[in-house]
């Protein structure tokens, strides 16, 4: 019994020594085997993920590759040179032209697609509608993403879709593609705020005027080339020519457009859109500029829409080619704009240049309205003075409002251009209606009213006024800040939108400051 108890006690004792080592070694082997199996599975998954991540990184790196000279260096930000200014103007010329190629050849499109003239006019209308959509929904994105890849992507997308316009024989498809290309043609409206960021403050207006002149040249080139090419060859050739011009623009920008960081990382897109509305109703300067831009655009489109009817009727009875030659008047604007901006806009308060441009335009409209029915000198004077005055006033207005908030320049530009686009629509409708009822004098009188009201809006609020109306800060037309040691605002610095801003805000050595 004692032995049995002894054996029992011995059997209940914990095992040590060799036996325990054997058991432990077996457990360790099993655990190690399981661990190795788990590690092997984990390493395989990690390896697959790293391969996918590596492939994605390589693709992203290829897509984001840029020449060394284009890469952004915060210690040495890109210098805004004349060659860069010309490059942006050239790019604006051959992108904004997309909107105007179809306008002189709508009758040819109607014949080729076997549709009515009214149906063919939808091509131009949908191109403009697409442009409006891009203006409202794409341009604000430029305040949240890097501009270089965004601009290159839009040009590439538009140029690629453009191939369909060159090839399709279905009119409905042609209309749809025209709308999509119009959406992507907003790149000039991304370049203007970019100039506002890169150009030094004392040269901002003249630099903007170069790009704006490029846009005017694009309108001229599109209308003239389209009419000439379609008159002597197939209309599709002008679309192939436009396709090549867009890819040439893409290549030039790829190799020479500098990178610039996103100014508002993490900004909510829908809040940004709502912020545009808030700025318009809370910033007196922006409201004043938008109303003037609306009235300027209304008078501009009213004139150019009704001019065709005037010149095609007695006593002129000009051909479509002769009427198209009036587009060459745009050369005067292209030549005068940078000179005007350098001598006047950059030296005096922006409001002075705005009102002076409006007055210049007002005189031309009055002369043309009352002599245009019996001498072609009237429309010629009207075209020169209106195009020039409009260009001067728009450039000064943009230079002015771009100082509101350096980190929101694309949204400010969107607000301004939405008003300008609405003015174009109203001007076309009002001009056509009044011309049908009372002829050239009636439509011209509406233009006098548009510009007259714009002048009143301009002089109702002084250049240094922080409120909605008045001249409490004085009548001096010279700028308070004459320093020329200005540089673009840093992407991390800005004036808060809620801060009362006047038109004399300027950036000096990377800091936005207010001059009263």
């Amino acid at each position: 019994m004692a032995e049995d108890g002894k054996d029992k006690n011995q059997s209940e004792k914990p095992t040590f020594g060799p036996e325990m080592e054997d058991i432990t070694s077996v457990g360790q082997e099993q655990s190690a085997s399981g661990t190795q199996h788990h590690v092997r599975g984990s390493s395989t998954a990690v390896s697959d993920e790293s391969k996918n991540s590596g492939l994605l990184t390589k693709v992203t790196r290829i897509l984001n590759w840029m020449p060394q000279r284009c890469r952004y260096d915060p210690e040495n930000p890109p210098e805004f040179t004349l060659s860069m200014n010309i490059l942006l103007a050239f790019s604006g010329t051959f992108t904004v032209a997309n909107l105007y190629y179809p306008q002189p050849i709508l009758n040819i499109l109607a014949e080729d697609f076997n549709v009515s003239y009214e149906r063919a006019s939808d091509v131009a209308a949908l191109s403009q509608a697409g442009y409006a959509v891009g203006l409202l929904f794409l341009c604000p994105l430029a305040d949240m993403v890097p501009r270089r890849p965004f601009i290159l992507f839009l040009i590439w997308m538009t140029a690629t879709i453009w191939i369909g316009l060159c090839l399709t024989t279905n009119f409905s498809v042609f209309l749809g593609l025209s709308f999509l290309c119009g959406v992507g043609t907003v790149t000039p409206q991304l370049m203007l705020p970019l100039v506002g960021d890169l150009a030094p403050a004392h040269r901002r207006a003249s630099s903007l005027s170069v790009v704006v002149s490029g846009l005017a040249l694009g309108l001229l080139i599109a209308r003239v080339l389209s009419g000439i090419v379609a008159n002597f060859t197939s209309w599709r050739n002008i679309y192939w020519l436009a396709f090549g011009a867009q890819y040439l623009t893409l290549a030039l920008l790829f190799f020479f457009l500098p990178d610039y960081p996103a100014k508002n990382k993490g900004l909510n897109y829908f809040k940004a859109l709502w912020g545009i509305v808030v700025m318009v109703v809370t910033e007196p300067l922006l409201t004043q500029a938008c109303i003037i831009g609306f009235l300027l655009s209304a008078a501009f489109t009213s004139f150019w829409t009704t001019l065709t009817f005037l010149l095609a009727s007695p006593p002129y009875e000009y051909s479509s080619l002769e009427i198209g030659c009036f587009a060459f008047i745009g050369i005067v604007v292209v030549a005068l704009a940078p000179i005007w901006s350098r001598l006047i806009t950059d030296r005096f308060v922006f409001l002075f240049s705005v009102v002076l441009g409006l007055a210049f335009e007002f005189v031309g409209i009055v002369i043309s309205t009352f002599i245009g029915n019996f001498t072609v000198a009237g429309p010629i004077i009207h075209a020169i003075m209106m195009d020039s005055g409009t260009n001067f006033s728009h450039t000064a207005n943009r230079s002015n409002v771009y100082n509101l908030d350096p980190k929101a320049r694309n949204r400010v530009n969107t607000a301004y251009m939405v008003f300008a686009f609405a003015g174009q629509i109203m001007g076309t409708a009002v001009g056509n209606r009044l011309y049908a009822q009372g002829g050239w004098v009636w439509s011209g009188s509406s233009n006098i009213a548009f510009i007259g009201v714009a002048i009143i809006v301009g002089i109702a609020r002084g250049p240094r006024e922080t409120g909605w109306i008045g001249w409490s800060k004085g009548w001096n037309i010279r700028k308070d800040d004459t320093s020329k040691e200005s540089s673009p605002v840093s992407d991390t610095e800005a004036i808060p939108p809620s801060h009362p801003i006047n038109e004399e805000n300027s950036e000096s050595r990377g800091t936005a400051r207010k001059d009263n």
Side-chain angles (χ1 to χ4, degrees):
M1 288 293 292
E3 292 180 356
D4 292 341
K6 184 178 179 181
D7 293 339
K8 182 177 180 180
N9 291 336
Q10 289 177 347
S11 66
E12 291 177 352
K13 290 180 180 179
T15 306
F16 296 97
E19 294 181 0
M20 181 62 189
E21 291 177 0
D22 291 341
I23 295 172
T24 303
S25 64
V26 170
Q28 288 176 345
E29 289 176 2
Q30 292 176 345
S31 176
S33 175
T35 301
Q36 289 175 0
H37 179 73
H38 175 71
V39 169
R40 193 177 298 114
S42 300
S43 64
T44 303
V46 170
S47 176
D48 292 340
E49 288 181 6
S50 63
K51 286 181 181 178
N52 293 335
S53 177
L55 179 61
L56 181 61
T57 301
K58 288 180 180 178
V59 171
T60 304
R61 190 176 301 154
I62 292 172
L63 293 177
N64 288 332
W65 183 89
M66 67 186 75
Q68 183 67 37
R69 63 177 171 271
C70 297
R71 297 174 187 175
Y72 183 77
D73 180 4
E75 300 297 328
N76 185 27
E79 181 182 356
F80 189 79
T81 61
L82 178 61
S83 58
M84 187 189 300
N85 204 173
I86 294 174
L87 172 64
L88 294 176
F90 173 86
S91 304
T93 297
F94 287 100
T95 48
V96 78
N98 294 344
L99 299 173
Y100 301 103
Y101 289 121
Q103 290 186 2
I105 58 172
L106 291 176
N107 58 326
I108 299 175
L109 293 177
E111 293 174 5
D112 195 69
F113 284 105
N114 195 26
V115 296
S116 66
Y117 287 170
E118 183 178 3
R119 178 78 167 144
S121 66
D122 290 341
V123 175
L126 283 174
S127 296
Q128 293 286 346
Y131 180 75
V133 170
L135 188 66
L136 185 58
F137 296 106
L138 292 183
C139 285
L141 283 172
D143 279 335
M144 307 173 220
V145 299
R147 259 78 62 83
R148 175 187 158 91
F150 189 40
I151 289 173
L152 294 179
F153 171 76
L154 287 178
I155 295 177
W156 172 81
M157 181 197 73
T158 305
T160 304
I161 294 174
W162 196 269
I163 299 175
L165 294 175
C166 300
L167 298 174
T168 185
T169 57
N170 185 295
F171 188 68
S172 296
V173 173
F174 193 86
L175 286 176
L177 294 178
S178 296
F179 174 82
L180 292 177
C181 288
V183 173
T185 304
V186 295
T187 46
Q189 298 303 329
L190 304 178
M191 295 173 187
L192 288 167
L194 183 59
V195 172
D197 285 331
L198 298 179
H202 69 276
R203 284 180 44 217
R204 185 168 297 137
S206 55
S207 300
L208 283 170
S209 71
V210 172
V211 180
V212 172
S213 296
L215 303 187
L217 187 62
L219 186 152
L220 166 67
I221 289 176
R223 287 176 173 170
V224 173
L225 279 183
S226 186
I228 293 175
V229 171
N231 192 47
F232 295 103
T233 66
S234 169
W235 65 268
R236 292 186 185 273
N237 289 334
I238 189 61
Y239 274 79
W240 282 115
L241 184 64
F243 168 75
Q246 290 177 78
Y247 265 97
L248 174 62
T249 301
L250 178 64
L252 289 173
L253 290 177
F254 180 82
F255 287 107
F256 296 105
L257 181 65
D259 192 23
Y260 199 75
K263 297 190 291 183
N264 298 276
K265 293 180 181 179
L267 179 66
N268 182 276
Y269 175 69
F270 296 102
K271 287 184 178 179
L273 291 180
W274 175 246
I276 296 173
V277 179
V278 173
M279 281 192 293
V280 171
V281 298
T282 58
E283 290 290 353
L285 174 58
L286 182 58
T287 304
Q288 181 188 36
C290 286
I291 294 173
I292 292 174
F294 174 87
L295 296 167
L296 275 169
S297 298
F300 182 84
T301 54
S302 174
F303 166 70
W304 283 105
T305 301
T306 56
L307 178 65
T308 302
F309 304 141
L310 174 70
L311 298 180
S313 306
Y316 306 113
E317 296 183 333
Y318 289 164
S319 67
S320 58
L321 184 59
E322 290 171 319
I323 295 173
C325 288
F326 265 72
F328 282 107
I329 292 173
I331 295 176
V332 176
V333 177
V334 172
L336 287 179
I339 299 172
W340 174 288
S341 295
R342 190 68 173 170
L343 296 179
I344 298 178
T345 309
D346 279 334
R347 295 188 178 186
F348 299 94
V349 294
F350 295 124
L351 183 62
F352 175 71
S353 188
V354 171
V355 175
L356 197 60
L358 289 170
F360 190 67
E361 184 173 343
F362 186 83
V363 172
I365 296 174
V366 171
I367 293 172
S368 173
T369 298
F370 297 106
I371 71 171
N373 276 324
F374 54 86
T375 174
V376 75
I380 292 175
I381 292 172
H382 191 154
I384 293 174
M385 299 186 75
M386 167 168 274
D387 279 19
S388 301
T390 299
N391 186 291
F392 302 154
S393 297
H394 275 313
T395 300
N397 257 340
R398 279 195 173 98
S399 301
N400 203 355
V401 298
Y402 283 172
N403 288 331
L404 282 172
D405 184 355
K407 295 183 75 174
R409 282 185 175 133
N410 284 280
R411 282 166 284 163
V412 168
N413 188 67
T414 295
Y416 184 77
M417 287 305 302
V418 165
F419 272 80
F421 191 82
Q424 292 178 14
I425 295 173
M426 190 189 78
T428 300
V430 171
N432 286 341
R433 182 66 178 271
L434 291 178
Y435 188 90
Q437 293 183 350
W440 180 251
V441 174
W442 280 37
S443 63
S445 297
S446 70
N447 294 337
I448 293 174
F450 289 144
I451 301 304
V453 174
I455 292 174
I456 294 172
V457 173
I459 64 176
R461 182 180 178 276
R464 298 170 185 81
E465 177 62 51
T466 57
W468 288 94
I469 192 169
W471 285 72
S472 61
K473 301 293 183 178
W475 294 75
N476 186 15
I477 63 172
R478 289 198 171 273
K479 289 186 176 180
D480 295 332
D481 181 20
T482 57
S483 171
K484 294 189 177 183
E485 297 180 356
S486 301
S487 61
V489 167
S490 167
D491 58 292
T492 60
E493 297 173 336
I495 302 171
S498 58
H499 193 284
I501 306 293
N502 63 43
E503 79 166 303
E504 289 302 356
N505 290 327
S506 62
E507 295 86 30
S508 178
R509 296 196 177 281
T511 305
R513 72 169 180 263
K514 178 182 174 183
D515 296 326
N516 284 317

